[in-house]
């Protein structure tokens, strides 16, 4: 289908074609979670890091994590980044290139925890680990007003869920929340799931249902810490959302923006036409990916100044 479409962005067609070439042939046996995790980590390994990036292993009371710091970084500011992967795949390794570029644009370190995932560790383990990582930064003496929590896809939903859990626990909010293509309603509802499914080669209702089942382990998808778009956003930090107009999760982003707006939370929703889900990860090939990270970095600098 994508080959029949003339994209206005001259680069997106090539990236879409390359992504299609990475997919297993039709009729191939379904991959195990271990195989899918290895493949996603492999995607991170083919990317390059900005020159001078420091990569430091971090232990958060038994939870592995990775710190990324650009040249000339401001150690008084920090980003807590929660990686995507449907709450079942993904790791600091898979997201290292994108997080390193975000660190460079924001001019501060990024901490990426290897939080627990399903099906081995179902909901709410990931949320508990998001809170744990935040407490680690607070215990290190970093001012919450100088920090942002960010994440993509399921990590974008986890960013919001962590903020709700912090509010519910009486813990301080960060200066802002940056969400890339957040999966924020595990029920898979909204107009985009039908209207632009033919434009989205990465995300489908069936695929998300599989991830949700593995993550939830029988828990209610309507719980606001599982589907934060259904939560009360009162007292939550300001939010920046990036989403493609050609991905099904646009509906989740719109729902989050509405929930935040109704609660009086400052929210900026940017819908980028034609892009792939989390196109920021393709910044080496997409000018739009680089521009998105530059804009997010500027927003983070402003919020944490």
């Amino acid at each position: 289908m994508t080959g029949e479409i003339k994209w206005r962005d001259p680069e997106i067609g090539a990236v879409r074609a390359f992504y299609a070439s990475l997919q297993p042939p039709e009729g191939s046996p379904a991959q195990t979670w271990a195989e899918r995790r290895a493949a996603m980590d492999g995607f991170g390994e083919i990317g390059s890091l900005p020159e001078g990036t420091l990569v430091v292993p971090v232990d958060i009371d038994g939870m592995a994590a990775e710190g990324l710091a650009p040249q000339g970084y401001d150690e008084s500011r920090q980003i807590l980044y929660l990686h995507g992967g449907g709450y079942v795949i993904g790791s600091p390794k898979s997201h290292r290139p994108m997080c390193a570029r975000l660190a460079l644009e924001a001019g501060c370190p990024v901490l990426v925890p290897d939080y627990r995932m399903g099906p081995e560790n179902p909901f709410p383990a990931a949320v508990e680990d998001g809170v744990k990582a935040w407490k680690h930064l607070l215990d290190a003496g970093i001012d919450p007003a100088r920090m942002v929590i960010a994440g993509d896809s399921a990590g974008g939903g986890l960013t919001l869920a962590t903020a709700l859990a912090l509010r519910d626990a009486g813990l301080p909010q960060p200066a802002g929340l940056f969400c890339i293509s957040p999966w924020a309603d595990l029920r898979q509802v909204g107009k985009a799931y039908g209207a632009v499914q033919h434009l989205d080669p990465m995300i489908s209702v069936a695929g998300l249902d599989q991830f949700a089942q593995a993550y939830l382990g029988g828990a209610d998808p309507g719980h606001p810490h599982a589907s934060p778009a259904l939560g009360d956003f009162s007292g939550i930090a300001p939010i920046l959302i990036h989403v493609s107009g050609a991905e099904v999760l646009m509906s989740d982003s719109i729902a989050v923006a509405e929930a935040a707006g109704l609660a009086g939370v400052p929210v900026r929703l940017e819908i980028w036409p034609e892009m792939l889900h989390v196109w920021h990860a393709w910044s080496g090939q997409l000018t739009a990916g680089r521009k998105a990270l530059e804009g997010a970095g500027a927003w983070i600098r402003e919020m944490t100044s």
Side-chain angles (χ1 to χ4, degrees), residues 47 56 81 91 131 160 173 184 192 224 287 292:
V56 182
Y81 195 94
S91 71
V131 172
L160 299 165
Q173 288 286 301
T287 301

Side-chain angles (χ1 to χ4, degrees), residues 1-2 5 7 12 16 19-20 23 153 181-183 192-208 243-252 274-279 282:
M1 184 70 181
T2 55
I5 299 173
W7 304 101
I12 192 62
R16 285 172 172 270
Y19 175 79
Q23 304 313 301
S153 196
S181 303
W183 184 27
Y193 284 93
V196 298
Q197 177 65 85
H198 65 292
L199 301 175
D200 191 339
M202 299 180 69
I203 308 296
S204 68
V205 171
L208 290 179
V243 70
S244 170
E247 65 170 311
V248 297
L249 290 179
M250 179 171 58
S251 285
D252 292 47
E274 302 187 338
M275 293 298 110
L276 284 169
H277 176 66
V278 194
W279 69 98
W282 300 85

Side-chain angles (χ1 to χ4, degrees), residues 117-118 121-128 161 214-217 219-220 223-227:
M117 300 186 295
N121 297 284
F123 172 82
V127 182
E128 293 170 349
Y215 172 55
L216 290 170
D220 179 10
H223 192 292
H225 291 181
S227 296

Side-chain angles (χ1 to χ4, degrees), residues 4-304:
E4 303 171 3
I5 299 173
K6 186 175 181 180
W7 304 101
R8 293 188 300 275
D9 186 305
E11 298 170 334
I12 192 62
V15 169
R16 285 172 172 270
F18 178 70
Y19 175 79
S21 74
L22 300 177
Q23 304 313 301
E26 187 174 350
S28 298
Q31 291 182 311
T32 65
W33 291 125
E35 289 170 336
R36 296 176 75 168
R37 288 168 183 169
M40 193 165 184
D41 281 354
F43 177 78
E45 290 175 338
I46 66 175
S48 61
L49 306 185
E51 184 177 356
T53 300
L54 297 176
V55 182
V56 182
V58 178
D59 178 79
I60 304 175
D61 193 21
M63 177 173 64
E66 188 168 273
L68 301 165
Q71 286 185 328
Y73 66 91
D74 180 353
E75 63 182 7
S76 72
R77 298 164 51 244
Q78 182 84 40
I79 299 168
L80 171 60
Y81 195 94
L82 304 172
H83 69 78
Y87 293 109
V88 181
I89 62 176
S91 71
K93 183 184 296 184
S94 67
H95 282 63
R96 188 180 293 156
M98 182 173 69
C99 288
R101 286 174 174 79
L102 180 61
L104 179 65
E105 297 297 343
C108 67
V110 174
L111 178 66
V112 189
D114 195 8
Y115 61 83
R116 290 172 294 166
M117 300 186 295
E120 298 90 344
N121 297 284
F123 172 82
V127 182
E128 293 170 349
D129 285 354
V131 172
K132 181 178 179 178
W134 178 250
K135 287 181 177 179
H136 169 80
L137 293 172
L138 294 178
D139 290 344
I142 305 175
D143 183 351
R146 303 276 285 171
M147 293 193 285
V148 161
I149 304 177
D152 65 282
S153 196
L158 183 56
T159 292
L160 299 165
T162 298
L164 293 176
L166 294 175
R167 190 269 320 275
D168 295 345
L171 292 168
Q173 288 286 301
L177 307 169
F178 171 44
C179 302
I180 305 172
S181 303
W183 184 27
D185 187 342
L186 274 57
R187 303 173 304 163
Q188 285 64 262
V189 296
K191 290 183 179 180
Y193 284 93
V196 298
Q197 177 65 85
H198 65 292
L199 301 175
D200 191 339
M202 299 180 69
I203 308 296
S204 68
V205 171
L208 290 179
D209 284 346
Q210 183 184 30
F211 282 126
Q213 183 179 10
Y215 172 55
L216 290 170
D220 179 10
H223 192 292
H225 291 181
S227 296
L230 306 179
D232 173 13
F233 278 61
S234 300
I236 297 302
I239 306 170
L240 170 63
I241 304 171
H242 284 180
V243 70
S244 170
E247 65 170 311
V248 297
L249 290 179
M250 179 171 58
S251 285
D252 292 47
S253 292
I254 292 170
V256 168
E258 181 179 55
L262 289 172
V265 173
V267 58
R268 190 167 97 197
L269 170 62
E270 296 183 7
I271 301 176
W272 293 58
E274 302 187 338
M275 293 298 110
L276 284 169
H277 176 66
V278 194
W279 69 98
H280 309 58
W282 300 85
S283 62
Q285 297 79 26
L286 283 174
T287 301
R290 294 189 291 276
K291 288 183 176 179
L293 288 172
E294 289 169 4
W299 183 82
I300 292 169
R301 288 176 185 267
E302 177 184 357
M303 300 305 294
T304 58

